[in-house]
Amino acid sequence: MYAVVATGGKQYKVAEGDVLRVEKLTGDVGTPIAFERVLLFSNGETVQIGQPEVSGVTVHGQIVAQGKNKKIVVFKFKRRKGYRRKLGHRQPFTAVRIDRIEA
């Protein structure tokens, strides 16, 4: 059994027991989360495709961690002009463990 959920402007294929990193969600570690934007649901035999969402299906999970990804370096440079800018960025994330998919 698996589902495709949409959160943070992205789509994720999830199954029970998966841990996935999504864009930052509000809540502390241990807080339950429900994803209601389910775009596709499969129970192994049949596949339901939403237009745009599947009604009656909810994915329940729990926040496992809040953190930041590795730093990326943003370097701007224009040749022969003496222009150089160096910035770093760490994108925040939320790790969610999928507990169950209710259909």
Side-chain angles (χ1 to χ4, degrees):
M1 181 182 322
Y2 68 91
V4 174
V5 297
T7 179
K10 299 177 181 69
Q11 298 174 5
Y12 301 92
K13 179 182 174 185
V14 297
E16 292 180 4
D18 286 354
V19 176
L20 62 135
R21 286 183 167 193
V22 298
E23 295 291 320
K24 178 132 176 91
L25 300 171
T26 56
D28 296 328
V29 175
T31 305
I33 295 286
F35 298 106
E36 303 194 351
R37 290 200 57 210
V38 179
L39 307 176
L40 182 139
F41 172 72
S42 171
N43 61 3
E45 299 164 1
T46 61
V47 176
Q48 294 178 347
I49 300 173
Q51 295 185 7
E53 298 170 5
V54 178
S55 60
V57 178
T58 307
V59 177
H60 295 278
Q62 188 173 3
I63 294 178
V64 204
Q66 298 273 19
K68 289 185 175 182
N69 284 326
K70 288 184 171 183
K71 181 178 277 194
I72 62 163
V73 176
V74 180
F75 188 71
K76 297 180 180 182
F77 175 81
K78 294 190 194 260
R79 66 185 191 155
R80 298 187 302 266
K81 305 297 179 202
Y83 176 80
R84 292 181 177 154
R85 298 290 179 266
K86 184 177 178 182
L87 264 96
H89 177 74
R90 292 181 70 190
Q91 185 71 25
F93 71 88
T94 301
V96 178
R97 183 180 62 242
I98 304 301
D99 294 332
R100 67 187 191 279
I101 300 173
E102 279 186 0

